Amino acid sequence: MGLDVNWALDWLKLSAKAMSEHRMELIELDRAIGDSDHGENMDRGFQAVLQKVEETPPETPGAALKAAAMTLMSKVGGAAGPLYGTAYLRAATSLGEAADIDAEALAEALAAARDGVVARGKAELGDKTMIDAWTPAVEAARTAAAGGSDPLGVLEAAAEAAETGAIATDPLVARKGRASYLGERSAGHRDPGAASTALLLRAAAAAAGSSDTGTDAV
Ligand SMILES: [Mg+2]
């Protein structure tokens, strides 16, 4: 069975919950190698997303993600707003008007989101950015979909890979974003954008019915 608009709305709700619950951890991660605003921005942004979809209930998963994209772009400051906004917008475009999303379409929407982040941020794998969570997530999602997993299996694989990817940013020296100004001193800290990406993908899996709601990405 595919995922419908209720999944997308649950994903946004659980995303807002995760950003609220992990706000302080994200602030601390960004304090270490950035400007401390990531937790606050993401929390505020997803609260605004919830308000938006309550005011104007979307009818398809794509419409829900498009509403999230527009809200994140206008409400979230720093680099994260445009990056996540682009990610959700590309995913929305990839899903189109479909009412029901199968595993393949889901994996391709995640790939479109990742490609949007790459296009916008110009980061590559290993630069210590959210791409280090997105790219392994996309690869795991595609492998799962090609192997016959259902949408839940695709999202669980993506979330797991994103968490591993986020943790793997710890020893890296940042080559993009504000953390790159620190040079070698950026090593030994997890990238906050990779951590929030892992939280958001875990929320996507939880919305699809995953019993694994824990994370070790923050
Ligand atoms: Mg920041």
Side-chain angles (χ1 to χ4, degrees), residues 30 35-38:
D30 199 25
D35 57 357
S36 319
D37 65 347
H38 193 56

Side-chain angles (χ1 to χ4, degrees), residues 102-111 133-162 201:
D102 65 14
E104 300 274 347
L106 188 57
E108 287 321 298
L110 292 176
W134 274 109
T135 288
V138 167
E139 286 167 3
R142 280 179 160 160
T143 301
S149 287
D150 63 4
L152 171 58
V154 167
L155 290 171
E156 283 181 328
E160 180 78 32
L201 292 175

Side-chain angles (χ1 to χ4, degrees), residues 3-196:
L3 299 173
D4 61 12
V5 69
N6 291 315
W7 162 76
L9 290 170
D10 283 347
W11 180 16
L12 297 176
K13 274 184 206 138
L14 292 176
S15 295
K17 184 164 177 268
M19 293 304 106
S20 172
E21 285 177 358
H22 295 283
R23 178 175 162 274
M24 281 313 299
E25 289 117 299
L26 293 173
I27 287 172
E28 289 306 319
L29 292 179
D30 199 25
R31 192 189 311 284
I33 60 169
D35 57 357
S36 319
D37 65 347
H38 193 56
E40 187 66 40
N41 283 341
M42 294 299 284
D43 183 22
R44 203 180 55 243
F46 272 92
Q47 292 305 324
V49 167
L50 284 195
Q51 201 179 341
K52 174 78 181 166
V53 295
E54 276 164 25
E55 282 166 11
T56 314
E59 292 184 357
T60 61
L65 298 188
K66 188 177 178 188
M70 297 321 221
T71 307
L72 292 173
M73 282 188 202
S74 65
K75 301 279 183 189
V76 178
L83 289 170
Y84 278 120
T86 303
Y88 283 78
L89 192 58
R90 295 283 187 98
T93 303
S94 174
L95 294 175
E97 302 290 315
D100 193 81
I101 308 162
D102 65 14
E104 300 274 347
L106 188 57
E108 287 321 298
L110 292 176
R114 185 275 311 271
D115 292 347
V117 175
V118 169
R120 183 95 202 190
K122 312 273 183 250
E124 292 173 16
L125 195 64
D127 284 350
K128 198 181 180 94
T129 72
M130 64 170 72
I131 289 301
D132 294 334
W134 274 109
T135 288
V138 167
E139 286 167 3
R142 280 179 160 160
T143 301
S149 287
D150 63 4
L152 171 58
V154 167
L155 290 171
E156 283 181 328
E160 180 78 32
E163 286 161 0
T164 304
I167 291 164
T169 66
D170 291 6
L172 298 178
V173 173
R175 292 191 298 239
K176 280 281 174 184
R178 192 177 284 265
S180 66
Y181 307 159
L182 294 176
E184 298 288 333
R185 283 183 293 136
S186 63
H189 302 281
R190 185 160 306 161
D191 180 65
S196 60

